[in-house]
Every structure is written in structure tokens, then in C-alpha cells.
Short mmCIF file of all heavy atoms in Angstrom, two decimals:
data_model
loop_
_atom_site.label_atom_id
_atom_site.label_comp_id
_atom_site.label_asym_id
_atom_site.label_seq_id
_atom_site.Cartn_x
_atom_site.Cartn_y
_atom_site.Cartn_z
N GLY A 986 0.79 -1.22 0.00
CA GLY A 986 0.00 0.00 0.00
C GLY A 986 0.82 1.27 0.00
O GLY A 986 0.28 2.36 -0.18
N ASP A 987 2.14 1.15 0.21
CA ASP A 987 3.00 2.33 0.26
C ASP A 987 3.61 2.59 -1.11
O ASP A 987 3.62 1.73 -1.99
CB ASP A 987 4.11 2.12 1.30
CG ASP A 987 4.45 3.40 2.05
OD1 ASP A 987 4.09 4.49 1.54
OD2 ASP A 987 5.06 3.31 3.12
N VAL A 988 4.14 3.79 -1.31
CA VAL A 988 4.81 4.14 -2.56
C VAL A 988 6.20 4.67 -2.24
O VAL A 988 6.42 5.25 -1.17
CB VAL A 988 4.00 5.20 -3.36
CG1 VAL A 988 2.66 4.63 -3.78
CG2 VAL A 988 3.82 6.48 -2.55
N PRO A 989 7.17 4.49 -3.16
CA PRO A 989 8.55 4.89 -2.86
C PRO A 989 8.75 6.40 -2.79
O PRO A 989 9.64 6.87 -2.08
CB PRO A 989 9.35 4.30 -4.03
CG PRO A 989 8.46 3.27 -4.64
CD PRO A 989 7.08 3.73 -4.41
N ALA A 990 7.95 7.17 -3.54
CA ALA A 990 8.21 8.60 -3.61
C ALA A 990 6.95 9.40 -3.86
O ALA A 990 6.01 8.92 -4.52
CB ALA A 990 9.23 8.90 -4.72
N THR A 991 6.92 10.62 -3.33
CA THR A 991 5.88 11.59 -3.67
C THR A 991 6.56 12.93 -3.96
O THR A 991 7.58 13.26 -3.36
CB THR A 991 4.85 11.78 -2.54
OG1 THR A 991 5.49 12.30 -1.37
CG2 THR A 991 4.16 10.46 -2.22
N TYR A 992 5.96 13.69 -4.88
CA TYR A 992 6.56 14.96 -5.31
C TYR A 992 5.45 15.77 -5.96
O TYR A 992 4.91 15.38 -6.99
CB TYR A 992 7.71 14.65 -6.28
CG TYR A 992 8.46 15.82 -6.88
CD1 TYR A 992 8.26 17.14 -6.48
CD2 TYR A 992 9.41 15.59 -7.87
CE1 TYR A 992 8.96 18.19 -7.04
CE2 TYR A 992 10.13 16.63 -8.44
CZ TYR A 992 9.90 17.92 -8.02
OH TYR A 992 10.60 18.95 -8.59
N ALA A 993 5.13 16.91 -5.36
CA ALA A 993 3.98 17.70 -5.81
C ALA A 993 4.37 18.76 -6.83
O ALA A 993 5.26 19.58 -6.58
CB ALA A 993 3.31 18.38 -4.61
N ASN A 994 3.69 18.77 -7.97
CA ASN A 994 3.70 19.92 -8.85
C ASN A 994 2.67 20.91 -8.29
O ASN A 994 1.49 20.57 -8.17
CB ASN A 994 3.33 19.50 -10.28
CG ASN A 994 3.32 20.66 -11.25
OD1 ASN A 994 2.86 21.75 -10.95
ND2 ASN A 994 3.80 20.41 -12.46
N THR A 995 3.09 22.11 -7.94
CA THR A 995 2.21 23.07 -7.28
C THR A 995 1.91 24.29 -8.14
O THR A 995 1.45 25.32 -7.65
CB THR A 995 2.81 23.53 -5.93
OG1 THR A 995 4.15 24.00 -6.16
CG2 THR A 995 2.85 22.37 -4.94
N ASP A 996 2.13 24.18 -9.45
CA ASP A 996 1.90 25.31 -10.35
C ASP A 996 0.45 25.77 -10.32
O ASP A 996 0.16 26.97 -10.33
CB ASP A 996 2.28 24.95 -11.79
CG ASP A 996 3.78 24.76 -11.98
OD1 ASP A 996 4.54 25.16 -11.07
OD2 ASP A 996 4.18 24.18 -13.02
N ALA A 997 -0.49 24.82 -10.29
CA ALA A 997 -1.91 25.17 -10.33
C ALA A 997 -2.33 25.94 -9.08
O ALA A 997 -3.08 26.92 -9.16
CB ALA A 997 -2.77 23.92 -10.51
N LEU A 998 -1.84 25.50 -7.92
CA LEU A 998 -2.17 26.19 -6.67
C LEU A 998 -1.60 27.61 -6.68
O LEU A 998 -2.28 28.56 -6.28
CB LEU A 998 -1.61 25.41 -5.48
CG LEU A 998 -1.93 25.98 -4.10
CD1 LEU A 998 -3.41 25.83 -3.78
CD2 LEU A 998 -1.10 25.29 -3.02
N ARG A 999 -0.37 27.76 -7.16
CA ARG A 999 0.26 29.09 -7.21
C ARG A 999 -0.54 30.02 -8.12
O ARG A 999 -0.79 31.19 -7.80
CB ARG A 999 1.69 28.99 -7.71
CG ARG A 999 2.38 30.35 -7.81
CD ARG A 999 3.76 30.28 -8.42
NE ARG A 999 4.75 29.72 -7.53
CZ ARG A 999 5.29 28.53 -7.64
NH1 ARG A 999 4.92 27.74 -8.65
NH2 ARG A 999 6.18 28.09 -6.79
N PHE A 1000 -0.98 29.50 -9.24
CA PHE A 1000 -1.76 30.31 -10.17
C PHE A 1000 -3.10 30.71 -9.56
O PHE A 1000 -3.57 31.84 -9.74
CB PHE A 1000 -1.99 29.53 -11.47
CG PHE A 1000 -2.90 30.23 -12.45
CD1 PHE A 1000 -2.41 31.24 -13.26
CD2 PHE A 1000 -4.24 29.88 -12.55
CE1 PHE A 1000 -3.24 31.90 -14.16
CE2 PHE A 1000 -5.09 30.53 -13.44
CZ PHE A 1000 -4.59 31.54 -14.25
N TRP A 1001 -3.72 29.79 -8.82
CA TRP A 1001 -5.08 30.02 -8.30
C TRP A 1001 -5.10 30.97 -7.12
O TRP A 1001 -5.96 31.86 -7.05
CB TRP A 1001 -5.69 28.67 -7.93
CG TRP A 1001 -7.16 28.71 -7.58
CD1 TRP A 1001 -7.74 28.50 -6.37
CD2 TRP A 1001 -8.25 28.94 -8.49
NE1 TRP A 1001 -9.10 28.59 -6.45
CE2 TRP A 1001 -9.45 28.87 -7.74
CE3 TRP A 1001 -8.32 29.22 -9.86
CZ2 TRP A 1001 -10.71 29.06 -8.31
CZ3 TRP A 1001 -9.58 29.41 -10.43
CH2 TRP A 1001 -10.74 29.32 -9.66
N VAL A 1002 -4.17 30.82 -6.17
CA VAL A 1002 -4.22 31.63 -4.94
C VAL A 1002 -2.92 32.37 -4.64
O VAL A 1002 -2.80 33.02 -3.61
CB VAL A 1002 -4.62 30.78 -3.71
CG1 VAL A 1002 -6.03 30.25 -3.86
CG2 VAL A 1002 -3.63 29.64 -3.47
N GLY A 1003 -1.92 32.26 -5.51
CA GLY A 1003 -0.69 33.01 -5.30
C GLY A 1003 0.14 32.54 -4.13
O GLY A 1003 0.88 33.32 -3.52
N PHE A 1004 0.05 31.25 -3.81
CA PHE A 1004 0.79 30.73 -2.66
C PHE A 1004 1.15 29.28 -2.89
O PHE A 1004 0.37 28.51 -3.44
CB PHE A 1004 -0.07 30.84 -1.40
CG PHE A 1004 0.52 30.11 -0.20
CD1 PHE A 1004 1.54 30.69 0.53
CD2 PHE A 1004 0.08 28.85 0.16
CE1 PHE A 1004 2.10 30.02 1.62
CE2 PHE A 1004 0.63 28.17 1.24
CZ PHE A 1004 1.63 28.77 1.97
N VAL A 1005 2.34 28.90 -2.43
CA VAL A 1005 2.72 27.49 -2.34
C VAL A 1005 3.53 27.30 -1.06
O VAL A 1005 4.22 28.21 -0.60
CB VAL A 1005 3.54 27.00 -3.55
CG1 VAL A 1005 2.71 26.99 -4.82
CG2 VAL A 1005 4.80 27.83 -3.74
N PRO A 1006 3.45 26.13 -0.44
CA PRO A 1006 4.25 25.85 0.77
C PRO A 1006 5.74 25.98 0.49
O PRO A 1006 6.20 25.71 -0.61
CB PRO A 1006 3.88 24.40 1.10
CG PRO A 1006 2.50 24.23 0.53
CD PRO A 1006 2.52 25.03 -0.74
N ALA A 1007 6.49 26.40 1.52
CA ALA A 1007 7.93 26.58 1.32
C ALA A 1007 8.75 26.43 2.60
O ALA A 1007 9.94 26.73 2.59
CB ALA A 1007 8.20 27.95 0.70
N THR A 1008 8.16 25.99 3.72
CA THR A 1008 8.92 25.86 4.96
C THR A 1008 10.00 24.78 4.80
O THR A 1008 9.69 23.63 4.48
CB THR A 1008 7.99 25.50 6.13
OG1 THR A 1008 7.02 26.53 6.29
CG2 THR A 1008 8.77 25.34 7.42
N PRO A 1009 11.28 25.12 5.04
CA PRO A 1009 12.34 24.12 4.93
C PRO A 1009 12.14 22.99 5.94
O PRO A 1009 11.70 23.23 7.07
CB PRO A 1009 13.62 24.91 5.23
CG PRO A 1009 13.25 26.33 4.98
CD PRO A 1009 11.81 26.46 5.35
N ILE A 1010 12.48 21.77 5.55
CA ILE A 1010 12.25 20.61 6.40
C ILE A 1010 13.00 20.74 7.73
O ILE A 1010 12.47 20.36 8.79
CB ILE A 1010 12.64 19.30 5.67
CG1 ILE A 1010 12.15 18.08 6.43
CG2 ILE A 1010 14.14 19.24 5.41
CD1 ILE A 1010 10.67 17.86 6.35
N LYS A 1011 14.19 21.29 7.70
CA LYS A 1011 14.97 21.44 8.93
C LYS A 1011 14.25 22.34 9.94
O LYS A 1011 14.19 22.04 11.14
CB LYS A 1011 16.35 22.00 8.61
CG LYS A 1011 17.29 22.09 9.80
CD LYS A 1011 18.67 22.56 9.36
CE LYS A 1011 19.62 22.68 10.54
NZ LYS A 1011 20.98 23.13 10.12
N ASP A 1012 13.67 23.43 9.46
CA ASP A 1012 12.95 24.36 10.34
C ASP A 1012 11.68 23.71 10.89
O ASP A 1012 11.37 23.84 12.08
CB ASP A 1012 12.59 25.63 9.59
CG ASP A 1012 13.81 26.44 9.17
OD1 ASP A 1012 14.93 26.11 9.62
OD2 ASP A 1012 13.65 27.40 8.39
N GLY A 1013 10.95 23.03 10.02
CA GLY A 1013 9.70 22.41 10.44
C GLY A 1013 9.92 21.32 11.48
O GLY A 1013 9.17 21.23 12.46
N ILE A 1014 10.95 20.51 11.28
CA ILE A 1014 11.24 19.44 12.24
C ILE A 1014 11.68 20.03 13.58
O ILE A 1014 11.27 19.54 14.65
CB ILE A 1014 12.30 18.48 11.68
CG1 ILE A 1014 11.68 17.60 10.58
CG2 ILE A 1014 12.91 17.61 12.78
CD1 ILE A 1014 12.65 16.68 9.88
N ALA A 1015 12.49 21.08 13.55
CA ALA A 1015 12.92 21.73 14.80
C ALA A 1015 11.71 22.23 15.58
O ALA A 1015 11.67 22.12 16.82
CB ALA A 1015 13.88 22.87 14.49
N ARG A 1016 10.72 22.77 14.88
CA ARG A 1016 9.52 23.27 15.56
C ARG A 1016 8.69 22.12 16.13
O ARG A 1016 8.12 22.23 17.22
CB ARG A 1016 8.69 24.12 14.59
CG ARG A 1016 9.37 25.44 14.27
CD ARG A 1016 8.70 26.20 13.15
NE ARG A 1016 7.36 26.64 13.53
CZ ARG A 1016 6.56 27.35 12.72
NH1 ARG A 1016 6.99 27.70 11.51
NH2 ARG A 1016 5.36 27.71 13.12
N PHE A 1017 8.65 20.99 15.42
CA PHE A 1017 7.94 19.83 15.96
C PHE A 1017 8.64 19.31 17.21
O PHE A 1017 7.98 19.01 18.22
CB PHE A 1017 7.84 18.70 14.93
CG PHE A 1017 7.31 17.43 15.54
CD1 PHE A 1017 5.95 17.23 15.72
CD2 PHE A 1017 8.17 16.43 15.99
CE1 PHE A 1017 5.46 16.07 16.31
CE2 PHE A 1017 7.70 15.27 16.58
CZ PHE A 1017 6.33 15.10 16.74
N VAL A 1018 9.95 19.16 17.15
CA VAL A 1018 10.71 18.62 18.29
C VAL A 1018 10.55 19.52 19.51
O VAL A 1018 10.40 19.04 20.64
CB VAL A 1018 12.18 18.40 17.91
CG1 VAL A 1018 13.03 18.13 19.15
CG2 VAL A 1018 12.32 17.25 16.91
N ALA A 1019 10.57 20.84 19.30
CA ALA A 1019 10.37 21.78 20.41
C ALA A 1019 9.00 21.57 21.04
O ALA A 1019 8.86 21.57 22.28
CB ALA A 1019 10.54 23.21 19.93
N TRP A 1020 7.98 21.39 20.19
CA TRP A 1020 6.63 21.12 20.71
C TRP A 1020 6.61 19.80 21.46
O TRP A 1020 6.04 19.71 22.56
CB TRP A 1020 5.60 21.08 19.58
CG TRP A 1020 4.29 20.51 20.04
CD1 TRP A 1020 3.30 21.17 20.71
CD2 TRP A 1020 3.85 19.14 19.94
NE1 TRP A 1020 2.26 20.31 21.03
CE2 TRP A 1020 2.58 19.07 20.57
CE3 TRP A 1020 4.40 17.99 19.39
CZ2 TRP A 1020 1.87 17.86 20.65
CZ3 TRP A 1020 3.70 16.81 19.46
CH2 TRP A 1020 2.44 16.74 20.08
N TYR A 1021 7.20 18.75 20.89
CA TYR A 1021 7.18 17.41 21.50
C TYR A 1021 7.82 17.45 22.89
O TYR A 1021 7.26 16.89 23.85
CB TYR A 1021 7.93 16.43 20.60
CG TYR A 1021 7.89 15.01 21.07
CD1 TYR A 1021 6.91 14.13 20.61
CD2 TYR A 1021 8.84 14.52 21.96
CE1 TYR A 1021 6.88 12.81 21.06
CE2 TYR A 1021 8.81 13.21 22.41
CZ TYR A 1021 7.82 12.35 21.95
OH TYR A 1021 7.77 11.06 22.38
N ARG A 1022 8.96 18.11 22.99
CA ARG A 1022 9.64 18.18 24.30
C ARG A 1022 8.78 18.92 25.33
O ARG A 1022 8.71 18.52 26.50
CB ARG A 1022 10.98 18.91 24.15
CG ARG A 1022 12.07 18.12 23.43
CD ARG A 1022 13.37 18.91 23.46
NE ARG A 1022 14.44 18.29 22.72
CZ ARG A 1022 15.24 17.33 23.20
NH1 ARG A 1022 15.04 16.88 24.41
NH2 ARG A 1022 16.22 16.83 22.46
N ASP A 1023 8.12 19.97 24.88
CA ASP A 1023 7.29 20.74 25.80
C ASP A 1023 6.03 19.96 26.18
O ASP A 1023 5.64 19.93 27.37
CB ASP A 1023 6.90 22.06 25.15
CG ASP A 1023 5.98 22.89 26.04
OD1 ASP A 1023 6.44 23.35 27.10
OD2 ASP A 1023 4.80 23.08 25.67
#
């Protein structure tokens, strides 16, 4: 049921609402770990 890879083309979302996700993985994980510890 699993797949080896996922990769999103986000051109349509950018065109529709002028936004696409961009948080670097290192920053996001650091914020999760800080929450987990707390």
C-alpha cells in the first residue's frame, strides 16, 4: 500500500491563490521537536 516517492507539482495552486508551501524541512522538524519536548 506504500509508494517509494511523492513529489507535488504546485503550479496550479500558485496560479489560483498566489501561494505554495515553502517551509524548509529542517525548520519544520525543529519546531515539531520543540513542541514534542514541551
Side-chain angles (χ1 to χ4, degrees):
D987 216 342
V988 296
T991 63
Y992 179 8
N994 180 319
T995 53
D996 291 346
L998 182 70
R999 179 185 286 108
F1000 175 80
W1001 189 248
V1002 296
F1004 171 79
V1005 293
T1008 300
I1010 192 73
K1011 185 176 179 179
D1012 294 351
I1014 287 176
R1016 290 171 66 179
F1017 171 82
V1018 168
W1020 167 82
Y1021 184 93
R1022 288 185 184 277
D1023 178 67

